[in-house]
Amino acid sequence: MAKFDVVDLDLKKVSELELSDDIFGAKPNAHLFYEVAKMQQVNRRRGTVAVKNTSLVSGGGKKPWKQKGTGRARQGSIRASHWVGGGKAMGPKPRDYFYRPPKKVRRGALRAALSLRAQEKTLIILDGFKLDAAKSKQAFDVLTKRLKLAGALVIDAKDNINLHRSVRNLAKFDVLPPEGLNLESVLRHKHLVVTSAAIKAIEGALS
């Protein structure tokens, strides 16, 4: 079990917290990062692009002229792909890009990412992050002036409504509940700001 400092909103140590080495002391694995990041990006593809082929373009049911005797090249339909207004030959069709690696891979990648932030000393564990009201300016002042951060991912329970509503409007900050934690969000932000309750929930989910 690794020990981490728990600080207040002024970065003053208030206690210590023991967390599992399997989750916050794992070895970073670039291949796991690649597989899970690819999953998140690929699964956002809609796959709805499509064009009409010869069978889908209306008209062209009649042979434009007879096969022989006209001196012209033989044609079967005015909706063939080489005619203006004809169907597209070998065009794209709707397809499903869904990709999902095994659960062990997905969890392993998240463990490795959290461990990487812990090794880089960019994981900040707070004893709490309460705001008086849902005000983005108040959240911005706490994050930039008191915690001295230029950008970060903030993680706390979704019932902390004031925090979520305040941070989600900030350009260089993002906020998620523990159950919404994902690899792409962790890697996108250099710093992680997590409350002690939220980090315990993450540890329980990844155990």
Side-chain angles (χ1 to χ4, degrees):
M1 300 289 282
K3 288 186 177 181
F4 292 86
D5 292 340
V6 179
V7 300
D8 61 13
L9 293 177
D10 293 311
L11 295 176
K12 294 180 181 178
K13 181 179 177 180
V14 295
S15 62
E16 285 188 347
L17 189 64
E18 287 190 348
L19 298 173
S20 172
D21 288 331
D22 293 336
I23 300 173
F24 296 93
K27 184 178 180 181
N29 189 318
H31 178 67
L32 294 183
F33 290 166
Y34 167 75
E35 288 295 328
V36 177
K38 179 176 71 172
M39 176 196 75
Q40 290 188 249
Q41 293 175 14
V42 165
N43 288 346
R44 283 198 291 267
R45 296 186 69 176
R46 297 291 298 276
T48 55
V49 62
V51 296
K52 290 184 177 181
N53 57 25
T54 304
S55 64
L56 296 176
V57 179
S58 62
K62 181 183 178 182
K63 191 173 174 67
W65 51 77
K66 64 181 183 178
Q67 181 82 349
K68 296 179 180 293
T70 65
R72 291 181 289 184
R74 52 194 175 188
Q75 301 292 333
S77 171
I78 62 171
R79 294 294 180 258
S81 60
H82 60 282
W83 282 72
V84 175
K88 180 70 174 179
M90 295 177 287
K93 298 180 180 179
R95 56 174 292 187
D96 184 7
Y97 290 97
F98 181 77
Y99 171 72
R100 190 177 180 85
K103 182 185 288 187
K104 284 186 177 180
V105 173
R106 302 196 305 271
R107 287 189 173 185
L110 198 50
R111 289 191 192 105
L114 292 171
S115 299
L116 179 63
R117 292 293 177 257
Q119 292 171 16
E120 294 173 342
K121 306 296 183 183
T122 56
L123 173 63
I124 301 173
I125 304 175
L126 300 176
D127 59 342
F129 199 156
K130 297 296 183 182
L131 298 176
D132 300 331
K135 292 185 179 294
S136 295
K137 185 179 186 306
Q138 184 181 359
F140 183 77
D141 289 342
V142 171
L143 291 166
T144 58
K145 296 179 181 178
R146 299 175 67 180
L147 294 178
K148 298 177 175 58
L149 298 172
L153 173 63
V154 182
I155 305 168
D156 197 12
K158 59 184 177 182
D159 57 4
N160 191 351
I161 298 174
N162 288 341
L163 177 65
H164 282 260
R165 288 181 177 176
S166 300
V167 177
R168 71 187 181 186
N169 293 326
L170 303 178
K172 295 185 179 180
F173 295 89
D174 198 4
V175 61
L176 288 173
E179 56 270 22
L181 185 64
N182 61 87
L183 177 73
E184 198 171 20
S185 295
V186 173
L187 295 181
R188 188 184 296 121
H189 297 87
K190 186 65 176 177
H191 288 83
L192 297 182
V193 179
V194 193
T195 62
S196 56
I199 206 162
K200 279 295 185 183
I202 293 170
E203 183 182 38
L206 296 178
S207 296

